[in-house]
Amino acid sequence: MDRYEYCKIFVHGADLERTTGLLASLFGAEVEDDSLTVDGIVVDVLENPDGDPDEADFVRWPVLVEVEPLDAAPAATVGLVSRLLVGFHDAGRLAVAACDYEDELPWSGGIELFRRWEAVLDRGAAEDGSGRQDAP
């Protein structure tokens, strides 16, 4: 199995419409049926079946973006997923990629930013005694 065969990106604080709008803007392409193909790579936007907008754990975030290369080289796949992560970050959305090449992506696939966000929430909750909040 090719390690660049598949990637799943969990997106916080967005819904399908906002996410597909961001993808359309980011790639200058029309998103049809919550899907687009860029340079031989299929990008699908889905509701996370395990999603819960009140959960802080990234695997429970409400939107999934699945990336699957059809005939793209590994470097092109890494480049596209990197562009997605940076695009989500620039739009003020946390995003964490789950794939076999996270070490080649910005912020280790987004997990480094998630850990910083999680630490800030934990520190803030401890300082004010209000309990943990689950929104960035």
Side-chain angles (χ1 to χ4, degrees):
M1 181 170 161
D2 181 5
R3 73 184 228 132
Y4 298 96
E5 186 174 346
Y6 178 80
C7 186
K8 183 185 300 188
I9 303 171
F10 298 88
V11 184
H12 185 274
D15 57 22
L16 291 179
E17 185 177 339
R18 287 183 187 160
T19 305
T20 56
L22 177 62
L23 292 180
S25 174
L26 190 61
F27 295 106
E30 187 174 330
V31 178
E32 294 183 28
D33 297 324
D34 299 326
S35 183
L36 76 144
T37 302
V38 179
D39 299 328
I41 302 168
V42 176
V43 181
D44 292 317
V45 180
L46 310 162
E47 288 186 27
N48 183 350
D50 298 319
D52 182 344
D54 296 325
E55 282 287 332
D57 186 2
F58 73 87
V59 298
R60 302 288 306 276
W61 290 351
V63 174
L64 294 174
V65 176
E66 294 184 337
V67 177
E68 188 172 0
L70 299 174
D71 56 5
T77 303
V78 171
L80 183 131
V81 173
S82 296
R83 191 168 170 193
L84 286 169
L85 290 172
V86 171
F88 287 127
H89 174 72
D90 289 350
R93 302 284 174 235
L94 283 173
V96 176
C99 51
D100 289 338
Y101 50 92
E102 296 160 13
D103 59 319
E104 298 177 52
L105 299 170
W107 312 291
S108 296
I111 196 68
E112 289 176 7
L113 293 179
F114 171 71
R115 288 181 181 143
R116 287 186 221 157
W117 171 70
E118 193 173 43
V120 167
L121 287 178
D122 288 344
R123 186 174 54 247
E127 289 174 359
D128 69 13
S130 66
R132 184 171 176 171
Q133 301 171 358
D134 289 332

